[in-house]
Amino acid sequence: MTGQLAYDPVRYASADGRLELFARNYPPAAGGAAKIPLLMMHGLTRNSADFDPLISALASGRRMIVPDQRGRGLSQYDSDPAQYRPDVYADDMCALLDMYGIERTVCIGTSMGGLISMVMGAQAPERIAGIVLNDVGPEVSEAGLDRIRNYVGGDEPMTNWNEAAARCAEINGDALDGLSGADWLAFARRTCREMPNGSIVFAYDPAISQGMGDADPATIPPDLWALWDAIAEIPITVIRGEKSDILSRETVAQMGQRHTGAFDHVEVPGRGHAPLLDEPVALLAIEDFLSSLG
């Protein structure tokens, strides 16, 4: 793994003009300007730092845009929790691409970020050259949603970074086999933030949990299979954690059967929801997919 690349911090207005949002802009390397830029979108409780492991390992040379969705990381929290939903996030992403004059992009979306990718592909297929879906698809397991409901929105502060690392391991340990104590500390520093009083909290608005009721109206679009069929021509690679409780093997098989465009999938050993994407199997799949798109 190489060292972490430098990025330019970006502040921009949300699509509705109500919020100031944050993104990381990783400029293209020499020879990479002609390649299709990447738009990397994190999961429900994560932020742009969640892609640090992938960015450190990826040798694409492309421009990479990595946002904090509204209510996460350094982006402003929304006073109206009803706005925490994929179609709103998709509009924000289009505003970000417009700011850079990016007409086409490749989306890499983890969990919720994958749903945003699907919405973007359905709304503006001409802008999406390809999608990497990280452990999410058009059918989401209720068991996995129940697990997420059990921890999302908890706002009890932690006293130090070691406690934060232990809490992250408690929540995610079953999904991420083999991480060391140092790995969990790095994970915590990507996922949490330090408050002025020295306490540590998760770097998201606890109000995002208000979309996690039984029907999940704010978190999951109402008809995901219709959304999937709407992006049938877009090249897609699916990465599934071997132990995922969100995306089943059966769903991946059905996705492939219904997709008429280029479609591939891989399974990451020892991972649940969701792979970090720096695992050799995942990284190779992403690099091969990007090479196929030019």
Side-chain angles (χ1 to χ4, degrees):
M1 180 178 292
T2 60
Q4 184 61 42
L5 295 178
Y7 62 86
D8 299 322
V10 178
R11 301 280 182 177
Y12 68 103
S14 61
D16 56 20
R18 298 171 50 247
L19 305 174
E20 182 183 75
L21 305 181
F22 175 84
R24 302 178 178 198
N25 169 37
Y26 294 85
K35 297 181 179 180
I36 303 170
L38 303 183
L39 177 66
M40 300 182 179
M41 293 172 285
H42 59 75
L44 180 69
T45 63
R46 306 290 179 81
N47 58 73
S48 56
D50 202 45
F51 288 101
D52 283 357
L54 172 61
I55 290 169
S56 293
L58 192 62
S60 72
R62 303 165 186 261
R63 175 187 297 278
M64 296 177 283
I65 309 292
V66 193
D68 289 342
Q69 301 298 333
R70 61 173 68 196
R72 283 83 168 178
L74 297 178
S75 285
Q76 191 174 353
Y77 291 6
D78 201 314
S79 59
D80 179 6
Q83 299 304 304
Y84 291 142
R85 62 179 199 264
D87 60 322
V88 175
Y89 304 138
D91 288 343
D92 290 340
M93 296 302 93
C94 289
L96 177 59
L97 294 177
D98 289 345
M99 185 184 74
Y100 279 104
I102 295 174
E103 296 182 356
R104 297 186 79 219
T105 188
V106 177
C107 295
I108 299 179
T110 294
S111 194
M112 182 189 78
L115 298 181
I116 301 169
S117 302
M118 291 168 63
V119 171
M120 293 177 69
Q123 290 180 343
E126 71 282 357
R127 300 194 75 163
I128 309 303
I131 299 173
V132 176
L133 294 175
N134 183 18
D135 211 60
V136 72
E139 194 165 310
V140 180
S141 168
E142 191 65 26
L145 289 175
D146 284 342
R147 176 181 57 79
I148 293 171
R149 290 186 189 106
N150 286 333
Y151 74 80
V152 69
D155 57 357
E156 184 69 26
M158 295 157 282
T159 58
N160 55 56
W161 282 108
N162 286 334
E163 183 180 343
R167 176 64 175 146
C168 288
E170 178 185 350
I171 293 171
N172 300 283
D174 288 343
L176 300 173
D177 287 352
L179 266 62
S180 67
D183 292 332
W184 283 118
L185 185 58
F187 186 100
R189 290 189 179 277
R190 296 194 300 268
T191 308
C192 305
R193 63 177 179 172
E194 187 170 354
M195 303 299 286
N197 66 1
S199 66
I200 311 297
V201 299
F202 287 105
Y204 64 83
D205 182 358
I208 64 172
S209 64
Q210 295 184 28
M212 291 296 292
D214 290 340
D216 298 290
T219 306
I220 299 179
D223 189 346
L224 286 173
W225 281 112
L227 194 63
W228 179 252
D229 292 339
I231 59 173
E233 296 297 323
I234 296 176
I236 292 175
T237 282
V238 176
I239 295 172
R240 178 183 182 271
E242 176 190 26
K243 304 186 297 179
S244 177
D245 59 358
I246 288 290
L247 179 64
S248 71
R249 290 192 180 102
E250 292 75 17
T251 296
V252 174
Q254 189 174 354
M255 291 164 71
Q257 291 167 5
R258 292 173 68 145
H259 199 70
T260 55
F263 179 84
D264 199 3
H265 65 91
V266 297
E267 192 165 275
V268 183
R271 291 289 185 257
H273 184 76
L276 298 175
L277 299 182
D278 66 340
E279 301 90 352
V281 170
L283 184 62
L284 180 60
I286 292 170
E287 290 180 330
D288 285 349
F289 183 65
L290 295 178
S291 294
S292 73
L293 297 176

Short mmCIF file of all heavy atoms in Angstrom, two decimals, residues 146-177:
data_model
loop_
_atom_site.label_atom_id
_atom_site.label_comp_id
_atom_site.label_asym_id
_atom_site.label_seq_id
_atom_site.Cartn_x
_atom_site.Cartn_y
_atom_site.Cartn_z
N ASP A 146 -31.92 -4.52 10.33
CA ASP A 146 -32.14 -4.57 11.78
C ASP A 146 -30.84 -4.34 12.54
O ASP A 146 -30.82 -3.66 13.57
CB ASP A 146 -32.75 -5.91 12.17
CG ASP A 146 -34.23 -6.01 11.82
OD1 ASP A 146 -34.86 -4.96 11.61
OD2 ASP A 146 -34.76 -7.14 11.76
N ARG A 147 -29.76 -4.94 12.06
CA ARG A 147 -28.47 -4.75 12.72
C ARG A 147 -28.07 -3.28 12.70
O ARG A 147 -27.61 -2.72 13.72
CB ARG A 147 -27.40 -5.60 12.03
CG ARG A 147 -26.00 -5.40 12.59
CD ARG A 147 -24.98 -6.25 11.85
NE ARG A 147 -24.96 -5.98 10.43
CZ ARG A 147 -24.35 -4.94 9.87
NH1 ARG A 147 -23.72 -4.05 10.63
NH2 ARG A 147 -24.38 -4.76 8.56
N ILE A 148 -28.25 -2.63 11.55
CA ILE A 148 -27.89 -1.21 11.44
C ILE A 148 -28.76 -0.36 12.34
O ILE A 148 -28.27 0.57 13.00
CB ILE A 148 -27.99 -0.77 9.97
CG1 ILE A 148 -26.93 -1.48 9.13
CG2 ILE A 148 -27.81 0.74 9.85
CD1 ILE A 148 -27.09 -1.29 7.64
N ARG A 149 -30.06 -0.68 12.41
CA ARG A 149 -30.96 0.09 13.27
C ARG A 149 -30.52 0.05 14.73
O ARG A 149 -30.76 0.98 15.49
CB ARG A 149 -32.38 -0.47 13.16
CG ARG A 149 -33.07 -0.22 11.83
CD ARG A 149 -34.52 -0.67 11.90
NE ARG A 149 -35.15 -0.63 10.58
CZ ARG A 149 -35.43 -1.70 9.84
NH1 ARG A 149 -35.11 -2.91 10.28
NH2 ARG A 149 -36.00 -1.55 8.66
N ASN A 150 -29.87 -1.05 15.11
CA ASN A 150 -29.48 -1.21 16.50
C ASN A 150 -28.35 -0.28 16.93
O ASN A 150 -28.13 -0.08 18.12
CB ASN A 150 -29.05 -2.66 16.77
CG ASN A 150 -30.23 -3.62 16.82
OD1 ASN A 150 -31.35 -3.22 17.14
ND2 ASN A 150 -29.99 -4.87 16.49
N TYR A 151 -27.61 0.27 15.96
CA TYR A 151 -26.50 1.14 16.37
C TYR A 151 -26.55 2.55 15.78
O TYR A 151 -25.97 3.48 16.35
CB TYR A 151 -25.14 0.50 16.04
CG TYR A 151 -24.76 0.48 14.59
CD1 TYR A 151 -24.22 1.59 13.96
CD2 TYR A 151 -24.90 -0.69 13.82
CE1 TYR A 151 -23.86 1.57 12.62
CE2 TYR A 151 -24.52 -0.72 12.49
CZ TYR A 151 -24.01 0.40 11.89
OH TYR A 151 -23.64 0.37 10.58
N VAL A 152 -27.23 2.74 14.65
CA VAL A 152 -27.20 4.06 14.03
C VAL A 152 -27.94 5.08 14.87
O VAL A 152 -28.98 4.78 15.45
CB VAL A 152 -27.77 4.01 12.60
CG1 VAL A 152 -29.27 3.75 12.61
CG2 VAL A 152 -27.48 5.30 11.84
N GLY A 153 -27.38 6.26 14.98
CA GLY A 153 -28.00 7.33 15.73
C GLY A 153 -27.56 7.42 17.18
O GLY A 153 -27.87 8.39 17.86
N GLY A 154 -26.83 6.43 17.66
CA GLY A 154 -26.33 6.50 19.03
C GLY A 154 -25.32 7.63 19.17
O GLY A 154 -24.38 7.73 18.39
N ASP A 155 -25.54 8.51 20.12
CA ASP A 155 -24.68 9.70 20.21
C ASP A 155 -23.97 9.81 21.56
O ASP A 155 -23.57 10.88 21.97
CB ASP A 155 -25.50 10.97 19.95
CG ASP A 155 -26.69 11.11 20.91
OD1 ASP A 155 -26.90 10.20 21.73
OD2 ASP A 155 -27.39 12.13 20.82
N GLU A 156 -23.79 8.68 22.24
CA GLU A 156 -23.07 8.68 23.51
C GLU A 156 -21.59 8.94 23.23
O GLU A 156 -20.92 8.16 22.53
CB GLU A 156 -23.24 7.34 24.22
CG GLU A 156 -22.61 7.28 25.59
CD GLU A 156 -23.33 8.16 26.61
OE1 GLU A 156 -24.53 8.40 26.42
OE2 GLU A 156 -22.67 8.59 27.57
N PRO A 157 -21.02 10.04 23.75
CA PRO A 157 -19.62 10.35 23.47
C PRO A 157 -18.67 9.29 24.04
O PRO A 157 -18.97 8.63 25.04
CB PRO A 157 -19.41 11.70 24.16
CG PRO A 157 -20.77 12.26 24.36
CD PRO A 157 -21.66 11.08 24.56
N MET A 158 -17.53 9.15 23.40
CA MET A 158 -16.47 8.27 23.88
C MET A 158 -15.36 9.15 24.45
O MET A 158 -15.15 10.28 24.02
CB MET A 158 -15.97 7.39 22.73
CG MET A 158 -17.06 6.43 22.25
SD MET A 158 -16.84 5.83 20.53
CE MET A 158 -17.40 7.25 19.56
N THR A 159 -14.65 8.63 25.43
CA THR A 159 -13.72 9.49 26.18
C THR A 159 -12.37 9.66 25.50
O THR A 159 -11.68 10.66 25.76
CB THR A 159 -13.50 8.91 27.59
OG1 THR A 159 -13.00 7.57 27.48
CG2 THR A 159 -14.82 8.89 28.37
N ASN A 160 -11.97 8.71 24.65
CA ASN A 160 -10.66 8.82 23.99
C ASN A 160 -10.68 7.96 22.73
O ASN A 160 -11.64 7.23 22.45
CB ASN A 160 -9.53 8.40 24.94
CG ASN A 160 -9.75 7.00 25.51
OD1 ASN A 160 -9.91 6.03 24.77
ND2 ASN A 160 -9.77 6.90 26.83
N TRP A 161 -9.58 8.03 21.96
CA TRP A 161 -9.53 7.33 20.69
C TRP A 161 -9.46 5.82 20.86
O TRP A 161 -9.98 5.06 20.01
CB TRP A 161 -8.37 7.83 19.85
CG TRP A 161 -8.67 9.15 19.21
CD1 TRP A 161 -8.16 10.37 19.53
CD2 TRP A 161 -9.60 9.38 18.13
NE1 TRP A 161 -8.71 11.36 18.74
CE2 TRP A 161 -9.59 10.77 17.87
CE3 TRP A 161 -10.43 8.55 17.38
CZ2 TRP A 161 -10.38 11.35 16.88
CZ3 TRP A 161 -11.22 9.11 16.39
CH2 TRP A 161 -11.19 10.50 16.15
N ASN A 162 -8.87 5.33 21.92
CA ASN A 162 -8.85 3.88 22.15
C ASN A 162 -10.25 3.35 22.40
O ASN A 162 -10.61 2.27 21.91
CB ASN A 162 -7.94 3.55 23.33
CG ASN A 162 -6.47 3.68 22.99
OD1 ASN A 162 -6.07 3.56 21.83
ND2 ASN A 162 -5.64 3.94 24.00
N GLU A 163 -11.04 4.12 23.14
CA GLU A 163 -12.43 3.71 23.36
C GLU A 163 -13.20 3.76 22.04
O GLU A 163 -14.04 2.89 21.77
CB GLU A 163 -13.09 4.62 24.39
CG GLU A 163 -14.52 4.21 24.73
CD GLU A 163 -15.18 5.11 25.75
OE1 GLU A 163 -14.45 5.86 26.45
OE2 GLU A 163 -16.42 5.07 25.85
N ALA A 164 -12.92 4.76 21.23
CA ALA A 164 -13.59 4.86 19.93
C ALA A 164 -13.23 3.67 19.04
O ALA A 164 -14.09 3.11 18.35
CB ALA A 164 -13.21 6.17 19.24
N ALA A 165 -11.95 3.27 19.06
CA ALA A 165 -11.52 2.12 18.27
C ALA A 165 -12.23 0.85 18.74
O ALA A 165 -12.67 0.03 17.93
CB ALA A 165 -10.01 1.95 18.37
N ALA A 166 -12.36 0.70 20.05
CA ALA A 166 -13.05 -0.47 20.60
C ALA A 166 -14.52 -0.47 20.21
O ALA A 166 -15.09 -1.53 19.89
CB ALA A 166 -12.91 -0.49 22.12
N ARG A 167 -15.15 0.71 20.19
CA ARG A 167 -16.55 0.80 19.80
C ARG A 167 -16.71 0.46 18.32
O ARG A 167 -17.64 -0.26 17.94
CB ARG A 167 -17.07 2.21 20.08
CG ARG A 167 -18.50 2.46 19.64
CD ARG A 167 -19.50 1.60 20.36
NE ARG A 167 -20.86 1.95 20.00
CZ ARG A 167 -21.84 1.07 19.91
NH1 ARG A 167 -21.62 -0.21 20.15
NH2 ARG A 167 -23.06 1.47 19.59
N CYS A 168 -15.81 0.94 17.47
CA CYS A 168 -15.87 0.61 16.05
C CYS A 168 -15.70 -0.89 15.82
O CYS A 168 -16.38 -1.48 14.98
CB CYS A 168 -14.81 1.39 15.29
SG CYS A 168 -15.15 3.16 15.13
N ALA A 169 -14.80 -1.50 16.59
CA ALA A 169 -14.59 -2.94 16.47
C ALA A 169 -15.81 -3.71 16.93
O ALA A 169 -16.18 -4.74 16.35
CB ALA A 169 -13.36 -3.35 17.28
N GLU A 170 -16.47 -3.21 17.97
CA GLU A 170 -17.69 -3.85 18.46
C GLU A 170 -18.78 -3.84 17.40
O GLU A 170 -19.49 -4.83 17.20
CB GLU A 170 -18.18 -3.13 19.72
CG GLU A 170 -19.47 -3.68 20.31
CD GLU A 170 -19.98 -2.85 21.47
OE1 GLU A 170 -19.25 -1.96 21.94
OE2 GLU A 170 -21.11 -3.10 21.91
N ILE A 171 -18.92 -2.72 16.70
CA ILE A 171 -19.96 -2.59 15.69
C ILE A 171 -19.62 -3.36 14.42
O ILE A 171 -20.48 -4.01 13.82
CB ILE A 171 -20.18 -1.10 15.35
CG1 ILE A 171 -20.77 -0.36 16.55
CG2 ILE A 171 -21.09 -0.94 14.13
CD1 ILE A 171 -20.81 1.15 16.37
N ASN A 172 -18.35 -3.32 14.01
CA ASN A 172 -17.96 -3.79 12.68
C ASN A 172 -17.07 -5.03 12.68
O ASN A 172 -16.69 -5.51 11.61
CB ASN A 172 -17.22 -2.67 11.94
CG ASN A 172 -18.07 -1.43 11.77
OD1 ASN A 172 -18.96 -1.37 10.92
ND2 ASN A 172 -17.81 -0.42 12.59
N GLY A 173 -16.74 -5.53 13.86
CA GLY A 173 -15.77 -6.62 13.94
C GLY A 173 -16.15 -7.86 13.17
O GLY A 173 -15.31 -8.51 12.53
N ASP A 174 -17.43 -8.23 13.20
CA ASP A 174 -17.87 -9.43 12.49
C ASP A 174 -17.71 -9.28 10.98
O ASP A 174 -17.58 -10.27 10.26
CB ASP A 174 -19.34 -9.74 12.82
CG ASP A 174 -19.52 -10.26 14.24
OD1 ASP A 174 -18.52 -10.67 14.85
OD2 ASP A 174 -20.66 -10.24 14.74
N ALA A 175 -17.75 -8.04 10.50
CA ALA A 175 -17.68 -7.80 9.05
C ALA A 175 -16.26 -7.68 8.53
O ALA A 175 -16.04 -7.82 7.32
CB ALA A 175 -18.47 -6.54 8.70
N LEU A 176 -15.32 -7.39 9.42
CA LEU A 176 -13.96 -7.09 8.98
C LEU A 176 -12.97 -7.98 9.73
O LEU A 176 -12.34 -7.57 10.71
CB LEU A 176 -13.65 -5.60 9.23
CG LEU A 176 -14.55 -4.60 8.50
CD1 LEU A 176 -14.24 -3.18 8.95
CD2 LEU A 176 -14.40 -4.73 6.99
N ASP A 177 -12.82 -9.19 9.25
CA ASP A 177 -11.89 -10.14 9.88
C ASP A 177 -10.45 -9.66 9.74
O ASP A 177 -10.07 -9.09 8.72
CB ASP A 177 -12.01 -11.51 9.20
CG ASP A 177 -13.29 -12.23 9.56
OD1 ASP A 177 -14.01 -11.75 10.45
OD2 ASP A 177 -13.57 -13.28 8.94
#
